[in-house]
Amino acid sequence: TAQWACVEKPYCHLIHYLRLSHHLIVLNYLICTFDKLKSVSSEDIKITDAVFDGVEVRVFEPPAKGDESLKRSVVYIHGGGWALASARTSLYNNLCRIMAESLNAVVVSVEYRLVPKVWFPEQYHDALRATRHFLQPDVLAEYSVDPSRIAISGDSAGGNLAAAVCQQVTSLSDLPVRPKLQALIYPVLQAFDFNTPSYQQNMNMPVLPRYVMINYWIDYINGNYDLAHELLINNHTALNVGRALSFRARLNWTSLLPPSFKKNYKPVVQSTGTEAIVERLPALLDVRAMPLLADDATLARQPPTYMLICENDVLRDDGAMYAARLERAGVPVTLDHFHDCFHGCMIFTVWPTDFSAGVQTRNSYIKWLDENL
């Protein structure tokens, strides 16, 4: 069993219990055994499970209306730190059903494989394969989807995968259909700097403290927990780490964030660090894992973007920096900043976790899709 490297004190014993690999397996087993919903359709929405190029998906289809021939569509990728949750759990089943009803859209929810069964880049490959399959003209025709009205979306780790998939599909010359929009919900977009203002401000915030996010990253890229402290203090991207130098300007928060975010926080940049970390774990600088590291040419190809961020979230600045870089690359961006909300809130809209923050963020997200898709 891997040993826990506790880098910050609050909640340490709880996270120690949850983050060890065998407990993570048990936790996800409980979630996916007792909370998975079968594909039960209703009069309003047809729900079916399918396989797209070897990847399981759940498809939500509203009933056909007599005066329409094609529907718009959303490819949705769920969150959970690349390790937890499922397209079939009640929280995501409920979200996608409401999206399909509210938007009169076909929603494809991707059931990618999780840590510890697989690690990066397999989650990315699953999401990409399912999306590419769906974007084929014959598949879109099967589901009566308008090929000019498709969005790619996801929350948290799913937002990471959605951004990475969108970067890839917009660069493929052999793909005749491109997404019209992308909608990212408090996405995790980089592991280069764990000392952005939002990481410092919210380091002990419940739901997603900083050390939990670091350990999700370690799990995702199949690293060791003994690296947690070095990542925490940015030793992996120190000035003497040659591989990291070319990326530094792409997420320089001192130039990308507004003063209201920067406040009085100071950058944490080590002059001398540990280059062996990125040699052992090259995924730390892999754009497929870290969409915020993409070059400007890649960003310029991205579709109009909705970015939802929460003030009480270590990942606030990941989303804000990506939004700023997309805007500088000429991409229309809607940055939706919720001052009183927290990471993960959008899926908490069902009793007993029916929070006003969840309803508020979900409604804003669906409203933007309705007006733009």
Side-chain angles (χ1 to χ4, degrees):
T1 303
Q3 293 299 308
W4 171 256
C6 185
V7 294
E8 299 181 58
K9 296 299 182 183
Y11 318 111
C12 183
H13 297 297
L14 173 62
I15 302 305
H16 173 81
Y17 175 80
L18 291 177
R19 297 301 299 143
L20 296 178
S21 295
H22 68 282
H23 289 303
L24 189 147
I25 296 171
V26 171
L27 179 60
N28 204 51
Y29 173 80
L30 293 172
I31 291 173
C32 295
T33 298
F34 297 103
D35 191 39
K36 270 190 177 178
L37 300 181
K38 294 180 179 179
S39 54
V40 178
S41 301
S42 66
E43 292 183 4
D44 299 321
I45 298 294
K46 176 185 176 184
I47 304 175
T48 56
D49 292 330
V51 177
F52 286 0
D53 191 17
V55 180
E56 295 180 8
V57 299
R58 174 161 285 190
V59 184
F60 301 75
E61 298 175 80
K65 295 182 179 178
D67 59 345
E68 68 177 4
S69 56
L70 298 177
K71 291 182 170 63
R72 50 193 176 178
S73 183
V74 180
V75 176
Y76 195 85
I77 308 174
H78 73 80
W82 308 282
L84 300 172
S86 163
R88 300 184 182 118
T89 54
S90 60
L91 295 175
Y92 285 106
N93 200 82
N94 181 64
L95 172 63
C96 291
R97 181 183 55 78
I98 290 175
M99 289 167 59
E101 289 177 350
S102 302
L103 299 170
N104 190 35
V106 175
V107 177
V108 176
S109 188
V110 181
E111 181 78 334
Y112 58 93
R113 292 168 295 166
L114 302 172
V115 171
K117 190 171 291 185
V118 297
W119 299 274
F120 174 82
E122 295 310 313
Q123 288 87 342
Y124 164 79
H125 285 155
D126 284 359
L128 178 61
R129 284 202 310 274
T131 302
R132 288 192 63 174
H133 177 88
F134 183 64
L135 293 179
Q136 297 302 314
D138 58 331
V139 179
L140 296 176
E142 177 185 347
Y143 288 98
S144 299
V145 168
D146 186 339
S148 67
R149 303 179 72 190
I150 300 169
I152 296 179
S153 184
D155 65 293
S156 193
N160 168 283
L161 295 170
V165 166
C166 201
Q167 289 182 4
Q168 181 64 18
V169 298
T170 54
S171 68
L172 296 173
S173 59
D174 63 339
L175 197 62
V177 177
R178 305 292 176 91
K180 179 183 181 181
L181 306 171
Q182 69 174 337
L184 308 177
I185 314 302
Y186 33 73
V188 49
L189 298 169
Q190 59 88 26
F192 192 96
D193 184 359
F194 289 106
N195 290 275
T196 62
S198 63
Y199 264 114
Q200 295 186 54
Q201 171 183 294
N202 300 302
M203 65 173 65
N204 294 320
M205 188 65 64
V207 179
L208 190 65
R210 174 166 60 174
Y211 54 85
V212 172
M213 190 64 248
I214 289 174
N215 279 275
Y216 274 134
W217 271 117
I218 290 172
D219 283 341
Y220 183 40
I221 61 177
N222 199 16
N224 295 317
Y225 294 146
D226 59 7
L227 292 175
H229 183 70
E230 295 213 64
L231 296 178
L232 171 69
I233 62 175
N234 291 344
N235 265 358
H236 61 302
T237 54
L239 296 177
N240 71 317
V241 179
R243 297 185 186 188
L245 287 177
S246 62
F247 294 107
R248 185 166 296 281
R250 298 180 188 178
L251 48 111
N252 178 10
W253 60 259
T254 63
S255 65
L256 291 169
L257 296 179
S260 60
F261 284 18
K262 290 186 288 188
K263 297 175 180 153
N264 293 319
Y265 293 107
K266 305 298 181 185
V268 176
V269 181
Q270 307 294 345
S271 57
T272 304
T274 310
E275 188 159 14
I277 297 175
V278 295
E279 292 174 354
R280 288 166 52 192
L281 298 170
L284 283 168
L285 298 177
D286 191 319
V287 175
R288 297 172 301 170
M290 322 279 172
L292 188 52
L293 299 185
D295 58 30
D296 292 341
T298 298
L299 297 187
R301 292 192 293 266
Q302 300 314 292
T305 299
Y306 173 82
M307 181 72 70
L308 189 154
I309 59 175
C310 297
E311 182 66 21
N312 303 307
D313 183 4
V314 293
L315 301 180
R316 180 200 66 187
D317 295 345
D318 282 28
M321 288 191 289
Y322 197 51
R325 289 198 61 211
L326 287 168
E327 279 194 317
R328 292 181 184 184
V331 177
V333 175
T334 298
L335 181 62
D336 208 357
H337 177 207
F338 286 84
H339 295 267
D340 299 322
C341 294
F342 56 91
H343 186 83
C345 64
M346 197 179 79
I347 61 172
F348 295 119
T349 60
V350 181
W351 187 90
T353 57
D354 48 341
F355 300 143
S356 60
V359 175
Q360 181 185 5
T361 50
R362 185 191 67 194
N363 289 349
S364 186
Y365 163 66
I366 290 177
K367 181 175 184 288
W368 184 87
L369 285 173
D370 192 35
E371 293 174 350
N372 292 276
L373 185 56

